Amino acid sequence: MKRRQLLGALGAAPLAAAVPAWAQGYPARPIRIVVPLPPGSPPDVLARLVAERLQQAWKQPVIVDNRPGATGMIGMDVVAKAAPDGYTVGVMFLTHAVLPALFGKVPYDTAADFAPIANLVWLYNALVVAPTVPARSAKELVELARAEPGKLTYASGGNGSPAHLLGESFRQLTQVDMLHVPFKGPAEAVQALLGGYVTTMFATTSAAVPMVRTGKLRALAVTSPNRLAALPSVPTMAESGVAGFDLREWEGLVAPADTPRDIILQWNQELARIMALPELREKLSEYGMEAAPANSPDQFATLVRSELQRWTRFVKTSGLKAD
């Protein structure tokens, strides 16, 4: 039976813990990072930035394997069923904390089938509209939605995706009637917004910034606690009068459950070193990502556990459904 590593009672190990002699020969062959979304998505960008530096440090090929589909469930199922030998890891993110409650059943146990390695980044989004939409602020968008209940729509990259959760949170906090329109992925959602098929969406800053700068989209607010350097003139949700909007995305790496603890710690230590590199942090900021403070596998496990609990409550109390 697989150990419930995510919910286990192991104490948090220091990042500088020594790696036992038997594990010092790792890695001895190519490594695979499974990304459960298409190329160009934020998890893919993160995986490729990390893979490049891991390859330099470990002198082994590090392959990014995109396995999109089913809002990320296909890729995470690949990770869950991989050999627990440290040669397959995957990018887990916010969506995976809501999917069990939203769908009732997923092909793996999020709390038992993965060994957390580290949370790597925080991500923020921008509330954007097409230039044809008259709203020029979040407040005006709310007023427009209240004037035309049920007419306005918000797009997402799929049920349970961050854009879906952000849109639903915004809808509930502002008490407006807006229709959720899910697409196969964030790229399709952005294209629908550009084409005028939907009214608004919460887009990752990596996707939003180029569109805003060229005038193809208008940014009304950002979800970060403070204004983003990439969009300095765009107010935060709090500045826009939407109080209590404290949702931020996270992305980290996990391995299959029962991956040896010593290998998990080796990954954790190397990732801590990589994520502290100034040039990497600068590159991440260009994509609207903020490097997370160094954290142990057990600290990441605690984050995932709390997020599972949080979004289970949200789905139950809000009546959130897969559209």
Side-chain angles (χ1 to χ4, degrees):
M1 180 181 295
K2 289 184 176 180
R3 292 174 292 162
R4 291 186 172 265
Q5 294 187 343
L6 185 58
L7 303 179
L10 289 170
L15 295 177
V19 177
W22 74 266
Q24 290 179 4
Y26 173 89
R29 54 187 172 86
I31 294 167
R32 175 175 62 155
I33 301 178
V34 176
V35 176
L37 287 180
S41 61
D44 177 74
V45 169
L46 175 64
R48 293 180 189 279
L49 290 173
V50 168
E52 179 183 355
R53 288 154 181 83
L54 280 173
Q55 189 162 287
Q56 294 170 355
W58 284 349
K59 310 303 181 186
Q60 291 289 342
V62 181
I63 301 161
V64 175
D65 183 7
N66 295 90
R67 297 292 186 97
T71 320
M73 286 187 280
I74 290 176
M76 294 313 296
D77 192 40
V78 169
V79 178
K81 292 177 171 57
D85 55 12
Y87 288 95
T88 295
V89 300
V91 183
M92 179 179 280
F93 45 92
L94 170 64
T95 297
H96 301 288
V98 71
L99 291 178
L102 186 62
F103 288 96
K105 184 178 181 181
V106 295
Y108 47 80
D109 187 332
T110 309
D113 290 346
F114 303 100
I117 298 173
N119 180 41
L120 300 183
V121 296
W122 301 110
L123 292 87
Y124 301 103
N125 289 256
L127 176 62
V128 293
V129 296
T132 53
V133 176
R136 306 194 72 85
S137 67
K139 180 180 179 181
E140 289 183 7
L141 182 66
V142 170
E143 293 172 350
L144 186 63
R146 288 176 177 168
E148 302 177 290
K151 184 177 179 180
L152 272 61
T153 55
Y154 71 91
S156 82
N159 291 302
S161 65
H164 183 197
L165 302 179
L166 288 159
E168 184 62 18
S169 297
F170 177 78
R171 189 190 68 79
Q172 293 192 22
L173 280 171
T174 57
Q175 297 183 325
V176 296
D177 184 7
M178 295 174 64
L179 178 66
H180 173 223
V181 183
F183 290 87
K184 291 182 179 180
E188 290 84 354
V190 170
Q191 288 303 312
L193 182 60
L194 291 170
Y197 298 105
V198 289
T199 307
T200 187
M201 73 174 291
F202 282 90
T204 59
T205 48
S206 59
V209 169
M211 300 292 182
V212 171
R213 287 177 176 170
T214 57
K216 294 180 179 179
L217 294 177
R218 182 187 308 125
L220 306 183
V222 292
T223 62
S224 52
N226 302 299
R227 295 196 182 196
L228 296 174
L231 296 170
S233 64
V234 180
T236 65
M237 295 296 290
E239 288 177 316
S240 302
V242 184
F245 202 92
D246 60 353
L247 192 156
R248 61 178 176 176
E249 295 185 52
W250 49 267
E251 291 180 3
L253 289 186
V254 298
D258 291 326
T259 298
R261 180 77 172 179
D262 301 318
I263 288 181
I264 295 295
L265 290 176
Q266 187 170 338
W267 267 91
N268 183 281
Q269 293 163 35
E270 187 58 36
L271 289 170
R273 183 192 68 80
I274 289 173
M275 299 306 294
L277 296 172
E279 68 271 18
L280 181 66
R281 288 174 171 262
E282 183 177 349
K283 192 69 176 177
L284 288 170
S285 68
E286 295 175 10
Y287 291 97
M289 301 182 194
E290 175 186 320
N295 56 100
S296 72
D298 294 287
Q299 288 171 325
F300 186 28
T302 297
L303 170 65
V304 176
R305 181 174 61 241
S306 66
E307 287 286 90
L308 282 165
Q309 295 169 348
R310 172 186 180 179
W311 292 107
T312 295
R313 288 194 302 268
F314 182 83
V315 169
K316 289 181 178 179
T317 57
S318 70
L320 184 68
K321 298 183 183 300
D323 297 307

